[in-house]
């Protein structure tokens, strides 16, 4: 299939490209940006006048709910949601059922995803067997099966000696370790941020020190072991300041933030809105504003959707009993654009946080539309307004705090391996 994407504003942050160019695709690759290759005859021409043509989005955290949680969502539905959101590559956390702690499970997930011919799925392997925090997995075998990193998802590792051994082993072979920083005992039984809202609503608190204590421990172990550590879903101003200092000292640490935490804070819980029951919890306005600034100055490396589809029965419960998480694959682009507009961030810089940077963190050949690279492309209308209602979501998970909101920025076309996989 030969495709000509005509007249769009091409933004490729990885190569500093920002201008009106034509994009030419053949045999699943970008063959040219600008003038047509000699003798090129397109099978299809896509008119991108008034649209932005950028690399397909790369999402660092998207739960696909298979295997084990098909009653919440299916691989087919969530892959459809991914391409509808312009996401062409995504990392899948290991907290499936069973967890991704054996090569066979990883290979099965990758095979199932590939058979759908939609977004590329990059599994993150379990750091410990069963995510129990007691025995390390066979990281080498899991890497050979296709894992790009190792994580505990939201499960804690309370044994710091085991965590040190894990980081030392990972450092020896160059395996990245992704950790969500939360000290289990300080956060025990907690539901919401330890602030005025939790106090007023009578919700058990999760203090910021639960995050900062964990970050301090992880950074010390990372320094001692030499491991590459990625901190998932930073949520506090204090935690972000620690990461900033560590980076300034040359430590090999990176971090991301959830798109929800870029826009929401504890006040948005309102009167016990279960769609705002998230992990980590929504924190103060000060924390939210610090995260937004951290994205702008580059301390935060990427925005992720933290896509967690949950069925209605699990959300239609009292706040403290509701299943945590929010759907996000289809909202990653409009929420990133919203942050950019509100903070006066240039569009190339904003797209960098959801394309080139997360691709580098994953160590994959994605996040660019340079000639010779795989043709994973997102074409979107930056000015189009649309209302987020349940019918607008391809994901089976309709759980989002943004239901009823008007969004700006809509994906029109998504290409994966040079094939048109979504047209909206």
């Amino acid at each position: 299939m030969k495709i000509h994407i005509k007249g769009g504003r091409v933004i490729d942050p990885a190569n500093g490209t920002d201008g009106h160019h034509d994009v030419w695709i053949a045999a699943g690759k970008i063959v040219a940006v600008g003038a047509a290759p000699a003798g090129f005859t397109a099978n299809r021409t896509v008119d991108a006048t008034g649209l932005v043509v950028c690399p397909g989005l790369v999402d660092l955290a998207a739960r696909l709910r298979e295997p084990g949680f098909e009653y919440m969502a299916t691989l087919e539905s969530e892959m459809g949601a991914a391409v509808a959101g312009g996401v062409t590559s995504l990392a899948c956390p290991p907290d499936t059922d069973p967890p991704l702690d054996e090569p066979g499970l990883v290979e099965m997930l990758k095979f199932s995803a590939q058979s759908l011919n939609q977004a590329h799925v990059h599994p993150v392997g379990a750091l410990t067997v069963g995510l129990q925090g007691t025995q390390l997995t066979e990281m080498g075998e899991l890497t050979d099966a296709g894992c790009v990193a190792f994580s505990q998802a939201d499960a804690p590792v309370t044994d710091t000696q085991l965590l040190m051994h894990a980081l030392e082993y990972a450092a020896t072979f160059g395996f990245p370790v992704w950790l969500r920083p939360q000290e289990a005992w300080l956060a025990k039984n907690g539901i919401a941020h330890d602030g005025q809202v939790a106090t007023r609503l009578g919700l058990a608190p999760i203090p910021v020190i639960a995050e900062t204590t964990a970050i301090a421990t992880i950074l010390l172990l990372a320094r001692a072991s030499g491991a590459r550590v990625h901190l998932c879903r930073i949520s506090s101003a204090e935690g972000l300041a620690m990461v900033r200092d560590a980076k300034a000292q040359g430590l090999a640490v990176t971090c991301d933030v959830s798109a929800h935490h870029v826009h929401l804070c504890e006040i948005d819980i309102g009167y016990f809105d279960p769609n705002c029951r998230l992990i980590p919890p929504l924190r103060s306005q000060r924390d939210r504003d610090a995260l937004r600034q951290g994205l702008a100055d580059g301390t935060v490396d990427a925005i992720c959707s933290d896509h967690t589809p949950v069925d209605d029965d699990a959300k239609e419960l009292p706040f403290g009993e509701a299943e945590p998480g929010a759907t996000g694959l289809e909202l990653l682009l409009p929420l990133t654009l919203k942050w950019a507009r509100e903070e006066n961030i240039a569009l190339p810089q904003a797209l960098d946080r959801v394309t080139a940077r997360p691709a580098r963190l994953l160590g994959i050949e994605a996040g660019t539309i340079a000639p010779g690279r795989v043709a994973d492309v997102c074409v979107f209308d930056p000015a189009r307004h649309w209302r987020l209602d349940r019918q607008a979501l391809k994901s089976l998970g309709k759980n989002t705090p943004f239901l009823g909101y008007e969004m700006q920025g809509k994906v029109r076309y998504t290409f994966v391996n040079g094939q048109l996989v979504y047209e909206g």
Side-chain angles (χ1 to χ4, degrees):
M1 174 70 78
K2 293 184 177 181
I3 297 171
H4 174 202
I5 303 175
K6 181 176 68 174
R9 178 186 174 185
V10 177
I11 299 179
D12 183 3
N15 293 291
T17 302
D18 182 6
H20 286 81
H21 306 287
D22 289 3
V23 176
W24 310 84
I25 298 171
K29 302 280 188 178
I30 304 292
V31 293
V33 176
F40 190 101
T41 302
N43 302 109
R44 175 165 183 175
T45 298
V46 172
D47 185 2
T49 304
L51 307 180
V52 172
V53 182
C54 71
L57 275 58
V58 180
D59 192 351
L60 292 180
R63 290 169 174 82
L64 303 176
R65 293 310 197 190
E66 286 195 36
F69 299 105
E70 290 83 356
Y71 64 93
M72 293 186 180
T74 65
L75 188 61
E76 184 175 2
S77 69
E78 303 320 289
M79 295 291 278
V83 295
V87 176
T88 57
S89 296
L90 57 88
C92 176
D95 52 352
T96 51
D97 185 19
L100 299 179
D101 60 359
E102 295 183 0
L105 294 170
V106 175
E107 291 166 351
M108 180 181 68
L109 175 61
K110 287 185 66 70
F111 176 80
S112 298
Q114 289 169 355
S115 67
L116 294 173
N117 292 318
Q118 292 185 312
H120 307 285
V121 173
H122 301 281
V124 177
L127 187 65
T128 63
V129 175
L131 297 176
Q132 294 299 307
T134 57
Q135 179 184 348
L136 297 182
T137 55
E138 295 291 345
M139 295 187 209
E141 294 181 3
L142 288 169
T143 299
D144 291 341
C147 288
V148 294
F150 296 92
S151 170
Q152 281 292 101
D154 292 326
V157 178
T158 56
D159 185 339
T160 50
Q161 185 182 61
L162 182 76
L163 181 56
M164 182 63 179
H165 290 330
L167 293 176
E168 289 174 336
Y169 184 83
T172 300
F173 297 97
F175 302 147
V177 177
W178 294 12
L179 299 171
R180 192 181 73 78
Q182 180 166 287
E183 207 287 323
W185 292 104
L186 289 172
K188 186 177 180 181
N189 300 323
I191 296 172
H193 168 65
D194 186 8
Q196 293 183 0
V197 173
T199 300
R200 175 167 53 84
L201 298 179
L203 298 173
I206 301 177
V208 166
I209 197 172
E211 178 169 283
T212 55
T213 299
I215 291 175
T217 299
I218 292 168
L219 293 179
L220 287 170
L221 295 180
R223 188 184 304 277
S225 64
R228 285 187 294 140
V229 173
H230 178 73
L231 298 172
C232 306
R233 265 73 74 207
I234 292 289
S235 69
S236 68
E238 288 85 350
L240 186 63
M242 295 171 72
V243 174
R244 183 179 286 114
D245 289 344
K247 287 188 170 189
Q249 295 169 21
L251 201 61
V253 60
T254 52
C255 69
D256 65 52
V257 65
S258 152
H260 303 100
H261 289 74
V262 172
H263 293 285
L264 303 175
C265 66
E266 59 178 344
I267 296 172
D268 293 292
I269 292 174
Y271 293 100
F272 303 100
D273 181 1
N275 283 323
C276 288
R277 174 84 197 278
L278 304 174
I279 298 177
L282 294 172
R283 298 205 180 272
S284 69
Q285 288 179 304
R286 172 179 171 271
D287 291 312
R288 180 198 61 190
D289 293 346
L291 296 178
R292 294 166 71 92
Q293 181 57 42
L295 269 172
D297 66 27
T299 303
V300 178
D301 295 273
I303 312 173
C304 69
S305 72
D306 198 21
H307 178 69
T308 309
V310 174
D311 64 304
D312 290 343
D313 289 343
K315 273 295 185 184
E316 294 175 355
L317 293 169
F319 189 89
E321 300 173 20
E323 184 83 16
T327 190
L329 273 170
E330 296 160 84
L331 303 180
L332 181 57
L333 177 62
L335 290 180
T336 299
L337 298 178
K338 177 177 170 64
W339 161 72
R341 289 192 304 272
E342 292 172 349
E343 297 294 326
N344 197 28
I345 303 297
L347 188 54
Q349 181 182 349
L351 292 176
D352 182 50
R353 304 301 190 266
V354 289
T355 58
R357 283 202 178 197
R360 287 197 294 270
L361 287 173
L362 284 173
I364 60 174
E365 290 193 11
T368 179
I369 46 177
R373 305 299 287 271
V374 174
D376 294 342
V377 180
C378 171
V379 182
F380 69 91
D381 184 344
R384 182 174 171 183
H385 292 261
W386 56 285
R387 184 178 177 82
L388 176 58
D389 53 32
R390 293 174 66 91
Q391 292 71 33
L393 292 171
K394 302 289 185 185
S395 171
L396 290 184
K398 312 301 181 182
N399 51 303
T400 169
F402 296 101
L403 281 175
Y405 280 57
E406 183 178 85
M407 296 288 169
Q408 183 178 341
K410 192 76 170 69
V411 174
R412 292 289 306 279
Y413 306 94
T414 304
F415 298 86
V416 176
N417 289 330
Q419 300 296 315
L420 181 63
V421 296
Y422 175 78
E423 182 174 357

